Amino acid sequence: MRKSRSILPLLALFAVSASALAGQQRNMTPEERARMAAERERQTQEELVSERPIEAFDTVWIEEMTWMEVRDAMAAGKTTAIITTGGIEQNGPYLATGKHNYVLQGACEGVARELGNALCAPIIKLVPEGDIDEPSSHMRYPGTISLRQETFEAVLDDVASSLRAHGFEHIILFGDSGGNQSGMEAVAARLNERWHDAQAHFIPDFYRSRGAPR
């Protein structure tokens, strides 16, 4: 309890400071706001080209890298990004609900390192698993988490578009579950209709190949 009370004055100080800053910004003239915005942009542009201060970590996972490591890896030729989709669903009495995601942790890294010019985006771990309001398919089993098809495709579109915005030229999509395939195929097709400076590649063979986990 003593520790909880001791931080209250500090929190109050932060709140007062934030309120004062907000009030100060509200009282600025348009010219002052423009100068402040220009200064922030100058600082951002300076930061974007600054030198990385630490040695790069040996990983192909974007989420394990600093933004500078991603930038430098892309400059060195790693302009392919891999988006994988798994799921949280029932897998019988002996396998964890996250089975597909665990498979993809090894699969994506293996593919990226074999290609040599690719990085792995975070695994899309939540996917369509059946109706939610009146549970169907895997949603009839406790522990399963489902997304609506439109939500799943919107997430894929946003993730791929984010990667393309940073300069990735090839976006590869593959998944470890049968219910993911049509959504990835549809999104890849829409992206290729929209993009002119990058290309999306849906790889159904990862799931269809003999011995692929189901």
Side-chain angles (χ1 to χ4, degrees), residues 25 67-68 82 123-124 132 134 147-148 159-160 167 197 205:
Q25 291 176 345
W67 73 265
M68 287 183 167
I82 305 172
I123 298 167
I124 307 299
I132 298 172
E134 294 185 12
L147 296 185
R148 288 169 292 179
V159 173
D197 55 355
D205 293 3

Side-chain angles (χ1 to χ4, degrees), residues 42-194:
R42 184 197 66 78
Q43 292 174 355
T44 298
Q45 291 298 327
E46 187 176 275
E47 186 176 34
L48 286 172
V49 297
S50 59
E51 185 176 351
R52 174 165 45 86
I54 58 174
E55 185 177 350
F57 182 49
D58 181 19
T59 182
V60 295
W61 292 96
I62 290 174
E63 64 197 292
E64 295 180 349
M65 306 168 76
T66 67
W67 73 265
M68 287 183 167
E69 289 172 329
V70 177
R71 176 200 63 188
D72 295 347
M74 294 180 67
K78 293 189 176 182
T79 55
T80 294
I82 305 172
I83 300 173
T84 55
T85 65
I88 301 293
E89 65 182 30
Q90 70 83 18
N91 284 286
Y94 302 110
L95 293 177
T97 56
K99 176 197 75 174
H100 293 303
N101 302 325
Y102 301 135
V103 169
L104 291 170
Q105 287 176 4
C108 191
E109 177 157 357
V111 170
R113 291 193 182 277
E114 181 68 22
L115 289 174
N117 66 342
L119 297 177
C120 293
I123 298 167
I124 307 299
K125 295 184 176 182
L126 302 179
V127 305
E129 301 285 8
D131 295 333
I132 298 172
D133 291 335
E134 294 185 12
S136 64
S137 188
H138 291 302
M139 273 300 296
R140 298 177 66 189
Y141 296 80
T144 299
I145 299 175
S146 186
L147 296 185
R148 288 169 292 179
Q149 186 68 29
E150 60 268 28
T151 302
F152 174 59
E153 292 187 17
V155 169
L156 284 177
D157 192 305
D158 284 352
V159 173
S161 297
S162 295
L163 295 166
R164 175 247 184 180
H166 296 309
F168 285 96
E169 298 171 0
H170 295 277
I171 312 297
I172 297 173
L173 298 95
F174 64 80
D176 193 56
S177 183
N180 306 357
Q181 307 302 308
S182 63
M184 289 185 293
E185 183 175 18
V187 169
R190 288 199 296 269
L191 293 174
N192 286 327
E193 289 179 359
R194 205 166 72 223

